[in-house]
Amino acid sequence: MVFSSIPFLFYFLPVTLILYFIAPRKLKNAVLLTVSIVFYSWGEPVYIVLMVISILINYLFGLKINKRLQNNISAKFPLVLGIAVNLFLLGFFKYADFLIDNLNGFLSLGIGRLNLPLPLGISFYTFQAMSYIIDLYRGDVKVQKNIVNFGTYVALFPQLIAGPIVKMKTIASELDNRKESFDDFASGAKRFVTGLGKKVLLANNIGLVWTRIHSMNISELPVLTAWIGILAFTFQIYFDFSGYSDMAIGLGRIFGFHFLENFDYPYISRDITEFWRRWHISLSTWFKEYLYIPLGGNRFGLLKQIRNIIIVWLLTGFWHGAAWNFVIWGVYFGIILIFEKVFLLKVLKKIPGVLRHIYTMLLVVISWVFFSADNIHQALCYIKTMFGGYGNNFYDSKALYILSNNLILLILLAVGCTPLVSKFVKKIVDVGTKTSAFFETFVMVGIFILVTAYLVSSSYNPFLYFRF
Amino acid sequence: MKNRLIAVVFTAVIFIGSITAWCYPVKEYSKEENRALQKMPEFNFQRLIRGKYIKEFENFTTDQFPLRNGWVAVKSYSDLALGKKITERYISDPTKHFFLWTI
């Protein structure tokens, strides 16, 4: 199920809230686990089996690792086996066809594809589960002996299908014992509605522009149209993804959980190193803690560090999708980060801030070409078009039309990427008067009404239109 | 006090929407779209496993949402406010738009 839908907002959420808040303390996690399973199986009824298996396996590995550690026996074997099982599940369901296609391509084998649909959220929940067994092995978290609590941790519906990747150590104490409060409920509700607005009103809206331009013949696009298209995608992916994280963090808070932040205005970064400290924070810290540092990080000289960066970014790219363009996307960032580490950061510090912003956003926007393309060839064609490589016009009437039709939206999006809105709101709200509370409530209800209107309208196909 | 207001209003909005949606009379046909609207699907385990039941239930919730045409009007006004000349669904010529809303 997705948050930005009528069934979630007006069917799933109210029922969940009632069940959760009337349930006695002891049963609250059981309620969360049950509704999370319903949430997951909504539209994916079969793969629920896979998630339950993943919960059971990691729970059992947790017990085993703990037992060995308590008896002062090395727990390396169950840890490695546990990681291998998790990676196997992820690899089989996400990457098997990629492997088969490449084997067929390079070695001309005729292996049949599996054509398995990707299980929802598998990349997120396997990473969560792995962080648990690794942290347990390292002694950073205590073992979770209660299967319901452990299941709740893995399956918790707010962050189940698109993150943030919540580590056990972040919520371990809240999982066993937490207190819901009006303050948390209110700030959670505000955060949820903000995310809902970002997703439905902004991301989906600008997404229409990208979908339209993406479906045109790329080599014939005017330069301006190509730039509007990829800028539209740049905005779409940020508002979509950070909106989802807002909704997840907000819902978590309603139930008394405090997840870590996942985005921190990435598009105001002044270099790529900073960009990756602000974008999808839960993923980059995951790779840092569980891959980069164990590989040696920066402790064994520059050459080893460069190797480690490349490995991490190759896999970060691959994590995003089983296709070469994602691998290229990851390595692209890896190479830029190495350049910045070796000399570029020193150079950048000497140039004016505006140029640094342009440098960063240009590289980020180009990265989205690789990310959004169906394959590498298409991405290269798109970049060629952006820089006038096909000798196309700079603009045409259609480009101006798209621009004028979306100008206000684009301005809103550009402002929305910066902390300006939240600074403005804080200025009004921090006054702490009754008026500010009314203002906040008013804005929240306004966003909710607009979101409902957008969601209801999405099913509306007026007969009128088809007569044109 | 401040947070109570937000918490109460948020809960109220969701529950009012939810209760109204449950009680609202089912409409069979949409004149504006010239199509039959989705009714509550009958439960069947086979269809559930194949994901069809859920799909129909989702269509049911949007097709039968209370004051559906009113919501569509709100959406088209917001498109006009954003300066859009053509929305995804129809040309938002003010007269036609009004026409849609009053049908």
Side-chain angles (χ1 to χ4, degrees):
Chain A
M1 198 188 304
V2 286
F3 299 149
S4 50
S5 69
I6 297 291
F8 179 81
L9 295 175
F10 296 109
Y11 292 80
F12 183 87
L13 190 55
V15 173
T16 300
L17 287 175
I18 292 181
L19 292 177
Y20 183 79
F21 283 100
I22 60 167
R25 173 67 42 204
K26 271 188 180 169
L27 290 179
K28 284 202 191 298
N29 282 348
V31 168
L32 279 182
L33 180 59
T34 314
V35 296
S36 296
I37 285 173
V38 173
F39 179 89
Y40 188 83
S41 49
W42 191 268
E44 287 256 8
V46 180
Y47 279 146
I48 190 66
V49 179
L50 184 62
M51 199 181 70
V52 172
I53 289 175
S54 178
I55 291 173
L56 287 174
I57 288 175
N58 284 291
Y59 172 75
L60 293 174
F61 272 112
L63 292 185
K64 188 82 196 162
I65 290 171
N66 181 58
K67 203 173 175 190
R68 288 221 172 179
L69 288 178
Q70 280 189 334
N71 296 336
N72 280 326
I73 313 172
S74 164
K76 212 163 210 167
F77 179 67
L79 173 72
V80 171
L81 194 63
I83 294 174
V85 170
N86 278 304
L87 288 178
F88 173 77
L89 286 179
L90 185 61
F92 184 76
F93 285 96
K94 191 169 174 176
Y95 300 104
D97 276 341
F98 176 77
L99 188 69
I100 290 172
D101 285 347
N102 281 293
L103 284 178
N104 287 345
F106 288 122
L107 305 171
S108 328
L109 303 173
I111 311 171
R113 300 183 98 237
L114 301 173
N115 285 324
L116 296 168
L118 181 68
L120 212 58
I122 189 168
S123 318
F124 289 95
Y125 71 72
T126 38
F127 266 43
Q128 284 204 181
M130 271 157 66
S131 84
Y132 165 68
I133 53 172
I134 299 171
D135 281 344
L136 187 64
Y137 174 81
R138 291 175 174 174
D140 290 344
V141 287
K142 281 196 190 123
V143 66
Q144 180 54 263
K145 286 190 178 153
N146 184 326
I147 180 90
V148 173
N149 289 0
F150 184 72
T152 308
Y153 162 69
V154 176
L156 198 57
F157 78 88
Q159 94 288 353
L160 174 62
I161 53 179
I165 301 164
V166 178
K167 275 177 245 143
M168 179 63 108
K169 55 188 166 193
T170 311
I171 60 164
S173 62
E174 286 174 346
L175 212 50
D176 292 331
N177 188 14
R178 63 182 176 278
K179 232 178 138 87
E180 302 78 9
S181 71
F182 261 118
D183 285 354
D184 273 345
F185 192 101
S187 75
K190 273 192 292 186
R191 193 68 191 271
F192 175 72
V193 175
T194 310
L196 199 58
K198 277 161 96 171
K199 162 76 181 146
V200 178
L201 306 179
L202 300 176
N204 289 1
N205 221 339
I206 198 66
L208 299 174
V209 175
W210 167 244
T211 312
R212 195 167 294 167
I213 293 177
H214 187 60
S215 66
M216 294 179 191
N217 190 345
I218 289 167
S219 56
E220 285 168 16
L221 287 181
V223 174
L224 182 62
T225 313
W227 278 93
I228 297 173
I230 198 63
L231 276 177
F233 183 78
T234 302
F235 285 127
Q236 185 193 0
I237 192 161
Y238 170 67
F239 283 99
D240 195 280
F241 199 2
S242 76
Y244 195 95
S245 291
D246 286 334
M247 291 189 269
I249 291 169
L251 285 169
R253 207 168 292 169
I254 287 177
F255 301 115
F257 290 102
H258 296 81
F259 304 153
L260 299 176
E261 290 298 329
N262 208 20
F263 286 87
D264 181 22
Y265 304 106
Y267 289 164
I268 63 167
S269 304
R270 300 201 293 176
D271 46 64
I272 296 298
T273 310
E274 184 184 357
F275 175 77
W276 274 104
R277 274 202 300 265
R278 294 171 175 272
W279 178 279
H280 203 177
I281 301 165
S282 65
L283 182 73
S284 29
T285 48
W286 196 100
F287 272 108
K288 191 178 170 193
E289 272 185 49
Y290 303 115
L291 188 62
Y292 180 68
I293 292 175
L295 280 173
N298 58 2
R299 283 165 298 160
F300 300 103
L302 190 64
L303 232 53
K304 280 246 169 91
Q305 190 185 3
I306 289 176
R307 180 203 69 180
N308 296 342
I309 293 176
I310 288 295
I311 293 175
V312 166
W313 286 92
L314 194 90
L315 292 173
T316 304
F318 205 40
W319 180 89
H320 282 81
W324 284 110
N325 59 309
F326 291 109
V327 177
I328 297 286
W329 176 81
V331 172
Y332 166 92
F333 275 120
I335 292 171
I336 296 172
L337 290 168
I338 291 168
F339 275 117
E340 289 197 348
K341 194 137 276 164
V342 177
F343 72 97
L344 211 50
L345 275 184
K346 286 176 214 144
V347 179
L348 284 168
K349 288 218 166 95
K350 286 177 195 147
I351 67 171
V354 185
L355 293 179
R356 296 182 62 178
H357 284 299
I358 293 173
Y359 154 84
T360 310
M361 279 319 288
L362 193 64
L363 290 176
V364 169
V365 167
I366 289 172
S367 86
W368 294 137
V369 177
F370 286 101
F371 195 88
S372 63
D374 303 324
N375 53 58
I376 296 172
H377 174 71
Q378 199 194 52
L380 294 174
C381 286
Y382 201 96
I383 291 175
K384 202 171 166 188
T385 309
M386 282 166 71
F387 293 98
Y390 290 102
N392 299 343
N393 290 342
F394 181 70
Y395 67 93
D396 62 1
S397 58
K398 213 173 180 180
L400 293 181
Y401 178 76
I402 298 174
L403 190 62
S404 71
N405 217 14
N406 292 287
L407 194 61
I408 301 177
L409 181 61
L410 286 169
I411 294 170
L412 288 178
L413 291 164
V415 175
C417 290
T418 68
L420 288 175
V421 181
S422 101
K423 270 187 192 160
F424 174 73
V425 171
K426 266 187 196 133
K427 217 167 197 178
I428 302 179
V429 172
D430 269 0
V431 183
T433 56
K434 240 182 206 171
T435 337
S436 66
F438 280 117
F439 171 79
E440 270 190 305
T441 314
F442 181 75
V443 171
M444 194 179 76
V445 173
I447 294 175
F448 205 88
I449 286 174
L450 278 178
V451 165
T452 310
Y454 269 69
L455 293 177
V456 173
S457 302
S458 66
S459 70
Y460 194 78
N461 293 298
F463 187 49
L464 271 175
Y465 182 74
F466 299 105
R467 288 198 299 221
F468 286 104
Chain B
M1 150 67 209
K2 200 180 119 185
N3 282 327
R4 254 166 226 224
L5 179 73
I6 292 167
V8 168
V9 170
F10 176 76
T11 317
V13 167
I14 283 176
F15 279 87
I16 290 169
S18 174
I19 293 165
T20 325
W22 275 111
C23 304
Y24 207 72
V26 170
K27 214 172 129 187
E28 304 225 336
Y29 176 75
S30 160
K31 213 162 41 168
E32 298 83 353
E33 298 158 274
N34 192 27
R35 69 174 176 97
L37 295 173
Q38 175 74 52
K39 283 178 276 179
M40 182 72 172
E42 269 177 50
F43 185 79
N44 171 321
F45 190 72
Q46 277 293 315
R47 293 172 65 77
L48 180 75
I49 290 298
R50 279 194 236 122
K52 283 192 177 159
Y53 177 82
I54 297 295
K55 192 71 223 137
E56 286 179 8
F57 179 78
E58 282 181 342
N59 292 341
F60 161 79
T61 61
T62 43
D63 272 10
Q64 301 294 347
F65 200 76
L67 307 172
R68 182 155 172 268
N69 287 355
W71 292 106
V72 175
V74 171
K75 154 83 162 86
S76 53
Y77 278 120
S78 92
D79 280 341
L80 285 179
L82 279 175
K84 287 198 181 182
K85 291 165 199 83
I86 291 187
T87 72
E88 269 298 277
R89 303 291 166 195
Y90 53 88
I91 297 204
S92 49
D93 172 326
T95 52
K96 290 222 178 65
H97 171 199
F98 187 67
F99 177 60
L100 263 179
W101 171 218
T102 47
I103 268 175

